[in-house]
Amino acid sequence: MTALRWALADGWTVARRDLIHWANQPMTVLFGVIFPVVITLAFGYLFGGAVEVPAGADYFAFLMPGMYGMTMLFGLSSTMIAVSTDVSKGVTDRFRSMPMAPSGVLIGRAVADLLNSVLILGGLLLCGLAVGWRPATAQGALGAVALLLLLRFALLWAGVYLGLLAREPGAAVAIQTMEFPIGFLSNAFVAPATMPGWLGAISEWNPLSSTVAAARELFGNPGWGGESWVARHAVPMAVLWPVVLTAVFFVLSVRRYQRLDR
């Protein structure tokens, strides 16, 4: 219990450091909130009339859960950049020289980024409400938001590990270029059934697809459906995928942090 309290206390110290940085740089936070809103409006008003959505539903009712999921995915590179910047500037080395729990330092980064993601998702939810999107029930909406943040938490740990692995912020460009292909290779915008067989299978097993499908189901919004096992069990898969990814990348991140000088 003492070790756990130590790790949590160190984690909160690191999280407060990042929150103070954001308070001193409000435009960075504001841009992070505005960017997904702009992308959503562009998709909705530029492409909405050209896309045939399931059952002839309103395009924004179909689009918004996909954009919520994509926004959680986009956080991967931002976490990687923040972690690799700390490594390249020697901040991480200073943390490692202090009597701080390795897991605590990384937990602090995770808490700060998750709070930032809550703010960004909140802004996008307000955007959805402004353009006419509505969830069916408040209970379902809370469940969908929880699953979206659970995915973000898992991808956050992937970003921490990749940031420690890369060491240089410039390497994050490669990850940023992969976010869109990974996002489009899902059910966020296109039905996997319309893809070539092997590509559609990859799309259905994409963790983002499970979260987006589960969010649409819980929000009561139209989705693509599907006959595959993973499509018919979107909600449990939207829990299982992030739990597995978090367990794997948390362990990898702590080990990488402890071996940065090797």
Side-chain angles (χ1 to χ4, degrees), residues 2 29 32 66 69 71 86 120 132 150 171 178 192 209 212 235 246:
T2 301
V29 178
T71 301
D86 280 350
I120 292 172
L150 184 63
M178 290 301 297
S209 291
V212 171
V235 174
T246 299

Side-chain angles (χ1 to χ4, degrees), residues 10-243:
D10 289 342
W12 177 239
T13 299
V14 175
R16 284 181 54 224
R17 163 187 173 266
D18 293 318
L19 294 176
I20 291 171
H21 284 177
W22 291 335
N24 293 331
Q25 300 174 346
M27 291 306 298
T28 301
V29 178
L30 183 62
F31 178 77
V33 175
I34 292 176
F35 177 74
V37 171
V38 172
I39 296 297
T40 299
L41 295 178
F43 267 84
Y45 290 114
L46 295 180
F47 306 132
V51 177
E52 184 177 350
V53 298
D58 175 73
Y59 183 65
F60 275 109
F62 164 78
L63 173 68
M64 293 312 301
M67 290 306 304
Y68 298 146
M70 287 287 285
T71 301
M72 298 299 96
L73 173 64
F74 289 157
L76 174 64
S77 60
S78 63
T79 298
M80 180 181 175
I81 290 172
V83 172
S84 58
T85 298
D86 280 350
V87 173
S88 65
K89 290 184 176 181
V91 175
T92 304
D93 285 336
R94 288 197 291 274
F95 283 146
R96 294 178 69 239
S97 68
M98 299 176 183
M100 301 178 70
S103 59
V105 175
L106 302 180
I107 288 172
R109 174 81 258 170
V111 169
D113 277 14
L114 189 61
L115 291 175
N116 186 48
S117 297
V118 170
L119 183 63
I120 292 172
L121 182 58
L124 197 54
L125 286 166
L126 291 177
C127 171
L129 294 173
V131 298
W133 166 83
R134 294 291 184 274
T137 65
Q139 183 178 2
L142 289 175
V145 169
L147 290 180
L148 288 163
L149 292 175
L150 184 63
L151 177 67
R152 173 67 182 108
F153 188 69
L155 295 175
L156 190 156
W157 284 108
V160 169
Y161 175 68
L162 292 172
L164 293 172
L165 195 66
R167 294 179 175 238
E168 293 292 337
V173 174
I175 299 300
Q176 287 178 313
T177 58
M178 290 301 297
E179 285 176 339
F180 274 102
I182 293 172
F184 288 134
L185 189 57
S186 71
N187 62 9
F189 307 113
V190 181
T194 64
M195 303 177 186
W198 63 273
L199 202 60
I202 294 175
S203 174
E204 288 189 323
W205 284 92
N206 184 338
L208 178 62
S209 291
S210 294
T211 296
V212 171
R216 284 176 173 145
E217 179 180 334
L218 293 173
F219 281 133
N221 296 152
W224 300 115
E227 296 301 321
S228 67
W229 185 91
V230 67
R232 289 185 287 105
H233 298 83
V235 174
M237 287 302 297
V239 175
L240 180 61
W241 270 123
V243 169

